[in-house]
Amino acid sequence: QQQVKQSPQSLIVQKGGISIINCAYENTAFDYFPWYQQFPGKGPALLIAIRPDVSEKKEGRFTISFNKSAKQFSLHIMDSQPGDSATYFCAAIADGQNFVFGPGTRLSVLP
Amino acid sequence: GAGVSQSPRYKVAKRGQDVALRCDPISGHVSLFWYQQALGQGPEFLTYFQNEAQLDKSGLPSDRFFAERPEGSVSTLKIQRTQQEDSAVYLCASSSRDSTYNEQFFGPGTRLTVL
C-alpha cells in the first residue's frame, strides 16, 4: 500500500514535444505529491508539487494533473527541450510518514 | 550558499569492511534524511533526524546500519560488515523546517560499491 507506481520506465520525445509521465498510488492517506528531477551524478531536485485539494498545478512548462478518485497523478512537460533530459521521480507522503518515491522515468529529448 | 555536501563521493569496500559516509547539510537546516538509491531505482527512505534526535529509523535495512547526528548538524551513516547488496548510492537530504512535508534539498550522494 506504500508503493507508488510510475510509468513509463523510459521516454523519448522530440524537441518541442510534450512529455507525459504517470504515477499511481494506493494509500489514500497520501496528501502531498512532489516531482523530483535528477541528472546523472547529482541528487534529486524538487521540480513541482501538488496537494490533493487541487486538480492541476502549472509552473512554467511543467504541469501536474491530479485525479484523486483514480489515485493517479501525472507530470506534463510542454515544449520539451534537450536540457530536460533527466530521470524524473514522482513521490508521495502522508502525515507523520516519510517520502515514498516511484521507480523513476528516464526522459531523453532529442534535438 | 553551499548546498548539501557528501563525502566521499565514491567508496569501494571489500565485503565485511565497515564504512562511514558523511553528510554536511545546509547550515541551519533542522531536518536531515538518509536515502538508499539502488541502480535504476528511486530513493528509499532510511532514517530521519530532527536536530540531533533520530525520529525515524524504520527504513534501515538491518542492524548493520547505524546513523548519528550528535550535534544536530553533520551526520554520519555507518555500515558495518558490508555486503554486496549494500552497493548503492546513499543520498542525504536536509530541510529547513521540522516537517517532513517541506522541500528536501539533496546532496550528490555517495556511491558505495562492495566487492
Side-chain angles (χ1 to χ4, degrees):
Chain A
Q1 195 179 20
Q2 286 291 351
Q3 192 177 23
V4 174
K5 297 180 180 179
Q6 183 172 349
S7 63
Q9 188 174 19
S10 63
L11 180 61
I12 299 174
V13 174
Q14 293 286 340
K15 179 182 176 181
I18 302 174
S19 304
I20 302 174
I21 304 171
N22 301 297
C23 285
Y25 63 96
E26 289 296 326
N27 186 353
T28 55
F30 286 145
D31 59 1
Y32 180 65
F33 302 88
W35 285 89
Y36 279 80
Q37 179 188 55
Q38 185 176 30
F39 293 103
K42 305 289 186 182
L46 180 66
L47 194 61
I48 186 173
I50 196 169
R51 290 192 181 270
D53 53 347
V54 297
S55 59
E56 185 175 283
K57 183 175 182 179
K58 183 176 181 179
E59 290 184 2
R61 295 184 295 108
F62 301 91
T63 300
I64 299 179
S65 297
F66 188 84
N67 186 330
K68 188 174 181 178
S69 60
K71 293 184 286 187
Q72 296 176 347
F73 58 110
S74 60
L75 175 69
H76 295 232
I77 306 174
M78 311 300 288
D79 187 26
S80 299
Q81 300 297 313
D84 297 330
S85 297
T87 300
Y88 293 81
F89 297 97
C90 61
I93 189 171
D95 186 21
Q97 299 178 22
N98 287 289
F99 279 101
V100 178
F101 284 83
T105 295
R106 180 173 291 185
L107 172 65
S108 297
V109 181
L110 303 179
Chain B
V4 177
S5 61
Q6 294 186 244
S7 61
R9 290 295 312 277
Y10 304 91
K11 177 68 178 178
V12 179
K14 292 183 179 179
R15 187 161 55 97
Q17 282 185 330
D18 297 348
V19 298
L21 313 180
R22 177 187 169 107
C23 173
D24 284 83
I26 294 173
S27 179
H29 275 197
V30 170
S31 299
L32 185 145
F33 306 81
W34 283 99
Y35 293 87
Q36 181 189 60
Q37 185 174 25
L39 187 64
Q41 298 296 316
E44 289 196 5
F45 169 79
L46 293 177
T47 187
Y48 160 53
F49 289 87
Q50 189 180 115
N51 295 307
E52 69 277 7
Q54 189 174 18
L55 298 188
D56 187 345
K57 55 181 181 180
S58 61
L60 295 176
S62 77
D63 59 7
R64 296 186 295 105
F65 287 70
F66 172 75
E68 60 183 5
R69 194 187 185 199
E71 298 179 358
S73 178
V74 172
S75 178
T76 303
L77 176 67
K78 298 179 179 178
I79 309 174
Q80 297 178 323
R81 304 181 303 282
T82 53
Q83 303 294 316
Q84 285 188 323
E85 61 262 28
D86 300 335
S87 296
V89 174
Y90 290 85
L91 294 166
C92 174
S94 69
S95 176
S96 61
R97 298 175 69 176
D98 60 357
S99 168
T100 53
Y101 285 90
N102 289 102
E103 178 180 357
Q104 297 183 20
F105 295 84
F106 283 82
T110 294
R111 181 178 295 277
L112 172 65
T113 302
V114 181
L115 303 177

